[in-house]
Amino acid sequence: MGVVLNIEGKREPASIKDLIDLTAADMGRVNELILSKAGSDVEMIPEIANHLISSGGKRLRPMLTLAAAQMFGYSGEGHVKLATAVEFMHTATLLHDDVVDESALRRGKKTARMIWGNQASVLVGDFLLGQAFRMMVEVGSLEALDILSAAASIIAEGEVMQLAAAKNLETTEDEHFAVIKAKTAALFSAAAEVGPVIAQASRTDRAALRSYGMNLGLAFQLIDDALDYGGSSKDLGKNVGDDFREGKVTLPVILAYRRGTKAERTFWKRAIEDNVADDAGLEKAIGLMARHGAIADTIGRARHFGEIARDALAPLEATPQKSALIDVIDFCISRVN
């Protein structure tokens, strides 16, 4: 279901191979720490944690932390613990998100809530958050702890903002950006910033990585919004059209609704607000988005934030890590090709 997007014709897909190579040794230690810290005498905790942790995510956020620390010459052990904490925060939010969104599929597998139930998913998410904070404390950087704990709070606020705005087709573009800035971009930003923080880089360098992460996260989420209506289940790790079926008001919906005729807005209200969202409705939604340029403009907004992320890094000294972080921007955007 859906139309595969190809905005600029065929080209070689962007890659994060350099980032993976540069962080490979440290990621090996992160993966060991993940397995160790996800352990518990309570049998269900490692079962649920490992179900999601081992399900094939790219672990992009912890790699940002590792590369950003390397970029400024960090040589201690703290970046591994902070990267693991970042991954645990991300995993916890996925467990919580799937309960809130009543999702059935995550990265091509049944969600934990479908196997173990909502209560267990929420509680294991809480356990992972607790472990994340323990690792932050072990690192001993109050500033890193402040950045990541603030991100945890902002992410929760974003979830509540999204819940409050659920199925509201009068949501503005600015309101939607506020939600995804909190829900998604805040953790990208924190993951990138704590690297230079523990490397004791200058405040200018920390601000550059913070801005890079924030704008990368915005671009990443907008591409996800577009892919839900024009990607594949393999790209998304969930069913194409899940946002539509769940009544999520994402940017392609906001743009198509606002640009549509009165009759088209009636369709959107019936589909989103009244939850009449079948396959035929999805096909019609995709057609309306194409008519009004909603998906293309969502991708355009993502490219805009990607350029801001690129400019944030521009003044920094050329290093292999800087080049790899720039590749991540291209990779995120290229998922629509």
Side-chain angles (χ1 to χ4, degrees):
M1 185 68 63
V3 179
V4 175
L5 299 170
N6 189 349
I7 303 303
E8 295 180 338
K10 290 184 178 179
R11 62 175 181 169
E12 284 299 309
S15 168
I16 55 170
K17 181 180 183 301
D18 287 349
L19 179 69
I20 292 169
D21 290 346
L22 285 166
T23 60
D26 285 339
M27 275 305 296
R29 294 155 67 200
V30 168
N31 290 330
E32 289 175 5
L33 195 55
I34 284 172
L35 292 174
S36 169
K37 297 294 185 180
S40 169
D41 292 335
V42 181
E43 188 175 329
M44 191 180 288
I45 289 175
E47 279 184 7
I48 294 176
N50 290 328
H51 172 77
L52 191 50
I53 289 167
S54 65
S55 64
K58 292 181 179 66
R59 303 216 168 133
L60 183 57
R61 294 157 189 81
M63 283 194 285
L64 295 182
T65 300
L66 298 173
Q70 291 176 5
M71 190 174 177
F72 297 99
Y74 181 72
S75 58
E77 299 289 322
H79 65 320
V80 171
K81 288 184 177 179
L82 290 179
T84 306
V86 164
E87 182 63 11
F88 272 20
M89 288 173 67
H90 177 54
T91 303
T93 60
L94 295 184
L95 286 166
H96 291 164
D97 279 357
D98 287 341
V99 171
V100 172
D101 298 338
E102 299 181 344
S103 298
L105 199 67
R106 168 73 66 180
R107 295 171 183 163
K109 294 168 64 175
K110 279 187 178 180
T111 53
R113 62 172 288 271
M114 295 296 290
I115 301 171
W116 290 279
N118 288 337
Q119 296 94 331
S121 293
V122 169
L123 293 172
V124 172
D126 292 344
F127 170 82
L128 294 177
L129 280 175
Q131 292 291 74
F133 280 103
R134 288 179 68 180
M135 284 183 280
M136 294 175 213
V137 171
E138 287 170 7
V139 172
S141 167
L142 275 178
E143 193 168 1
L145 175 61
D146 181 52
I147 290 164
L148 287 169
S149 60
S153 178
I154 291 166
I155 292 164
E157 286 179 337
E159 275 293 340
V160 177
M161 286 165 62
Q162 186 178 57
L163 195 60
K167 299 183 181 293
N168 180 12
L169 285 163
E170 302 306 323
T171 299
T172 66
E173 192 167 337
D174 284 342
E175 288 168 342
H176 181 63
F177 283 146
V179 170
I180 64 175
K181 187 175 183 179
K183 270 198 65 184
T184 302
L187 187 56
F188 273 91
S189 180
E193 186 181 3
V194 292
V197 163
I198 60 168
Q200 297 185 324
S202 71
R203 293 209 168 270
T204 300
D205 290 339
R206 296 176 194 184
L209 269 294
R210 179 170 65 246
S211 175
Y212 163 81
M214 180 63 71
N215 288 286
L216 174 68
L218 288 167
F220 184 93
Q221 185 57 54
L222 288 173
I223 294 299
D224 265 8
D225 287 355
L227 282 171
D228 194 73
Y229 291 95
S232 68
S233 295
K234 181 176 180 290
D235 293 327
L236 283 166
K238 61 178 183 176
N239 293 316
V240 172
D242 270 358
D243 286 354
F244 180 74
R245 295 184 190 93
E246 292 167 9
K248 286 186 179 178
V249 180
T250 58
L251 188 58
V253 174
I254 291 168
L255 296 178
Y257 175 77
R258 289 184 171 269
R259 295 170 181 177
T261 64
K262 184 177 180 181
E264 289 168 359
R265 285 195 289 273
T266 299
F267 159 77
W268 285 112
K269 286 180 179 178
R270 178 172 162 77
I272 301 296
E273 294 179 357
D274 299 337
N275 202 32
V276 183
D278 54 15
D279 287 349
L282 177 59
E283 286 291 352
K284 181 170 182 177
I286 292 169
L288 292 176
M289 287 173 180
R291 178 183 303 171
H292 296 293
I295 296 177
D297 284 352
T298 296
I299 296 164
R301 307 288 201 276
R303 287 201 174 106
H304 168 72
F305 288 118
E307 289 307 314
I308 298 174
R310 192 185 309 272
D311 287 341
L313 295 182
L316 302 182
E317 182 182 343
T319 64
Q321 288 80 13
K322 175 182 172 179
S323 177
L325 292 176
I326 290 170
D327 287 345
V328 175
I329 303 168
D330 295 327
F331 169 77
C332 287
I333 305 296
S334 75
R335 292 179 301 149
V336 296
N337 290 317

